[in-house]
Amino acid sequence: METFKPAHYGVLTIAGTDSSGGAGVLADIKSFTAHGCYGCSVITAVTAQNTMGVQGVHPCPPEFIEQQMQSIFDDIPIHAIKTGMLVDKEIVDVVVNTLTSRYPSAPRPPIVVDPVTVSTSGHVLFDSASIDVIKSRLIPLATMVTPNILEAELILSTGQSTPLKITNLEDMIYAARSIAQLGCTNVLLKGGHLPLRPTDVDTSVKAGICVAEWCNSRGPNDALILGHVSRQLTSASEASVVVDVLYSSQASIVESTLMAKPVLFVKTHIDSTSTHGTGCTLSAALASQLAKNPDVLQATRLAIAYTHEGIATAPNFGKGHGPLNHMHSIIPRTISAPNPAHPAPFTSGLIQSFPDLWRKYVQHDFVVQLGKGTLPKANFIHFIKQDYHYLRHYARAYGLLASKSTSYEDIGSAARTIHHIIQESTMHASFCALWGISEAELINTTESPALSGYASYMIDTGLRGDATALLVALASCLLGYGEVGLWLKKRATEGKDGFYLEGNIYKRWK
């Protein structure tokens, strides 16, 4: 039995409330809890709000905010702090004064500043004097500042004659670097307001101005077929990604050479209205991670993954922009549960754990020669004759899968697969005829040792194991054929290294 382990990390949020529970202090406390931390709060304002908007704000008196902070600091060990909505200049001043009084010099707990200065609708919440105080007093205290694009534009435009507009990835990198120059250690500029294309990322990486980490199943090292499945399950465009930019000005936290340049965290763009409190959730997750480990890169990596999964698995609450699912990680998992944004986490994890093996399998010499049209005809004829017999064994294996299934849905799925295989065998025989192979020759072809070995493995697994073991045995064909086809099409479309479709004698098979 797993032993319960109490939270040993105290994390403080200094922010406003959200009566609907999706943002502010309530979202922070949920995120702290999900990360195994003990959450404390200082309330800067009480709001009346829901998923459709804010109906009222009641700021707390600055002296009461100071009293709350002192009460916590006098009693609870605090390992990290995050700030959210600070309402006005007076509250910013009292928060900064109390922090610097309690922690007059380094080391102090990591401080994550979420500069809540612009509403979801784009309304500016602070006057220029308040923004100046945030820039000159609060940001220099921060271990990490987490603005979104609108907030970054406001911070960098205040006091300038020409407003800054962020319209592309290069602008984001410039803005993150500029905010870091205000005196903070790290900046994570969130790109949710600016969906981009993978080519935008590739261009910047190849130019040498940054490095990229691809989250979920859309990265260059993942299987093409998993991205194909993801696009079938979501309405997101193949070319739609969200990029967060991490810029660090502190060399001591560099992991190898990765953070010598800005790091781009690239995620699948999720077409969802359940984004209320995303910034609060991300900054709270960052504070939780930094409370446990000062590794900024790893903290950012984990916090982004947590927040993205919260959007992907969000409940459908409210009539407007609903909340995230803050509790998706409460059940301990080695991998995440499947969802539309990441439909095959187990398979993706296996492939990404053994990229060289997967690459050798998909890009086998036989496949490469097919794509280039250089495969000897005798080799191809041998293959398609053996493939005809393989289909028979494949259908038998699915018959065993049906016998091991316990629901009508799974039994029906296996039965439909068998039906498709039978149809495929008929088409396969017709295809073989185009290569001069008669039906009699096809039927009487002796199975090769390789075919007999793999077929015996599938049937033996089906007889001895459970449904999961048999599915694993079948997966190399189930995924492999699709992946090979997509990979060949991609290489032919790129027109590189001699791959082509038009005029290729093996085009019909591909």
Side-chain angles (χ1 to χ4, degrees):
M1 180 180 295
E2 184 175 350
T3 304
F4 172 73
K5 296 180 180 179
H8 294 295
Y9 303 96
V11 185
L12 170 64
T13 174
I14 306 172
T17 66
D18 172 6
S19 49
S20 70
V25 165
L26 278 79
D28 294 341
I29 296 297
K30 293 174 188 176
S31 300
F32 298 160
T33 302
H35 284 82
C37 295
Y38 180 80
C40 304
S41 66
V42 167
I43 307 299
T44 60
V46 179
T47 71
Q49 67 175 292
N50 52 32
T51 65
M52 295 182 290
V54 178
Q55 292 78 45
V57 178
H58 183 73
C60 292
E63 58 273 16
F64 182 61
I65 293 173
E66 180 183 4
Q67 187 177 21
Q68 292 180 74
M69 294 177 68
Q70 297 291 4
S71 294
I72 293 169
F73 291 144
D74 288 344
D75 185 41
I76 306 296
I78 297 299
H79 299 87
I81 301 167
K82 69 145 287 189
T83 66
M85 184 178 72
L86 300 183
V87 186
D88 56 31
K89 177 181 179 297
E90 288 70 26
I91 291 178
V92 176
D93 275 329
V94 76
V95 168
V96 171
N97 290 341
T98 306
L99 287 174
T100 54
S101 174
R102 177 63 59 162
Y103 307 105
S105 61
R108 59 171 62 99
I111 299 175
V112 178
V113 172
D114 183 14
V116 183
T117 54
V118 182
S119 70
T120 303
S121 62
H123 177 68
V124 176
L125 304 176
F126 284 75
D127 57 26
S128 59
S130 300
I131 300 296
D132 286 338
V133 174
I134 291 174
K135 292 171 62 174
S136 63
R137 302 200 65 204
L138 181 60
I139 288 179
L141 293 179
T143 307
M144 175 83 77
V145 181
T146 62
N148 60 33
I149 285 177
L150 298 178
E151 291 161 348
E153 289 177 340
L154 177 62
I155 289 170
L156 295 174
S157 296
T158 300
Q160 303 298 316
S161 57
T162 304
L164 174 71
K165 295 298 294 181
I166 300 172
T167 60
N168 55 46
L169 189 51
E170 289 72 20
D171 291 345
M172 290 182 66
I173 295 172
Y174 170 80
R177 182 181 293 110
S178 299
I179 292 174
Q181 290 172 354
L182 295 175
C184 63
T185 309
N186 307 282
V187 177
L188 181 65
L189 179 53
K190 300 170 292 188
H193 292 87
L194 184 65
L196 299 168
R197 300 169 300 173
T199 51
D200 298 324
V201 177
D202 292 339
T203 299
S204 295
V205 171
K206 289 177 181 177
I209 63 175
C210 59
V211 294
E213 286 203 12
W214 293 77
C215 311
N216 304 109
S217 59
R218 299 294 290 276
N221 293 326
D222 209 353
L224 298 172
I225 195 168
L226 296 182
H228 181 72
V229 171
S230 180
R231 290 190 294 276
Q232 287 184 324
L233 295 178
T234 67
S235 58
S237 165
E238 179 180 6
S240 183
V241 295
V242 171
V243 180
D244 298 334
V245 177
L246 174 62
Y247 179 84
S248 176
S249 61
Q250 184 180 19
S252 62
I253 55 96
V254 172
E255 179 184 87
S256 300
T257 59
L258 188 55
M259 287 191 65
K261 300 176 182 178
V263 181
L264 311 183
F265 291 89
V266 189
K267 313 178 294 295
T268 305
H269 177 252
I270 302 174
D271 187 11
S272 172
T273 58
S274 297
T275 55
H276 178 55
T278 301
C280 305
T281 301
L282 177 60
S283 56
L286 276 166
S288 300
Q289 292 293 345
L290 290 172
K292 303 175 185 181
N293 187 340
D295 185 335
V296 171
L297 183 62
Q298 180 68 353
T300 305
R301 186 182 291 134
L302 295 174
I304 287 175
Y306 166 79
T307 306
H308 193 254
E309 195 76 11
I311 298 173
T313 62
N316 186 24
F317 285 165
K319 300 176 182 177
H321 289 276
L324 282 63
N325 174 16
H326 294 92
M327 314 310 289
H328 64 81
S329 63
I330 286 296
I331 300 175
R333 299 181 185 274
T334 303
I335 56 173
S336 65
N339 59 74
H342 198 191
F346 176 68
T347 304
S348 179
L350 288 177
I351 290 171
Q352 292 187 20
S353 297
F354 302 95
D356 292 336
L357 182 61
W358 178 254
R359 189 178 303 110
K360 290 177 182 177
Y361 173 62
V362 174
Q363 302 174 25
H364 191 276
D365 284 345
F366 179 89
V367 176
V368 172
Q369 291 177 42
L370 272 177
K372 296 181 178 182
T374 59
L375 182 71
K377 291 183 180 180
N379 293 28
F380 184 70
I381 289 173
H382 171 79
F383 167 74
I384 59 178
K385 289 164 68 175
Q386 294 296 316
D387 203 33
Y388 177 81
H389 291 278
Y390 171 73
L391 289 171
R392 175 165 45 86
H393 295 300
Y394 199 56
R396 293 172 60 210
Y398 269 93
L400 289 170
L401 182 61
S403 72
K404 293 177 178 296
S405 300
T406 57
S407 70
Y408 285 115
E409 180 181 0
D410 291 341
I411 294 170
S413 176
R416 286 190 296 274
T417 300
I418 295 171
H419 178 68
H420 290 319
I421 294 170
I422 294 171
Q423 290 180 315
E424 171 68 16
S425 68
T426 302
M427 292 187 292
H428 193 88
S430 300
F431 178 74
C432 287
L434 298 176
W435 289 83
I437 306 169
S438 67
E439 184 175 0
E441 180 182 1
L442 194 60
I443 293 173
N444 294 320
T445 295
T446 302
E447 292 183 11
S448 69
L451 171 58
S452 296
Y454 183 53
S456 297
Y457 163 68
M458 287 192 301
I459 300 303
D460 185 61
T461 302
L463 290 171
R464 295 195 302 166
D466 58 12
T468 301
L470 181 52
L471 281 171
V472 171
L474 296 170
S476 61
C477 175
L478 183 68
L479 295 177
Y481 266 57
E483 180 70 4
V484 164
L486 290 171
W487 182 75
L488 286 173
K489 181 180 179 181
K490 179 175 181 290
R491 295 306 302 270
T493 302
E494 292 171 348
K496 297 178 180 178
D497 302 322
F499 288 82
Y500 67 103
L501 283 177
E502 297 305 323
N504 191 318
I505 60 174
Y506 303 119
K507 175 183 177 182
R508 183 169 175 181
W509 179 84
K510 291 188 287 181

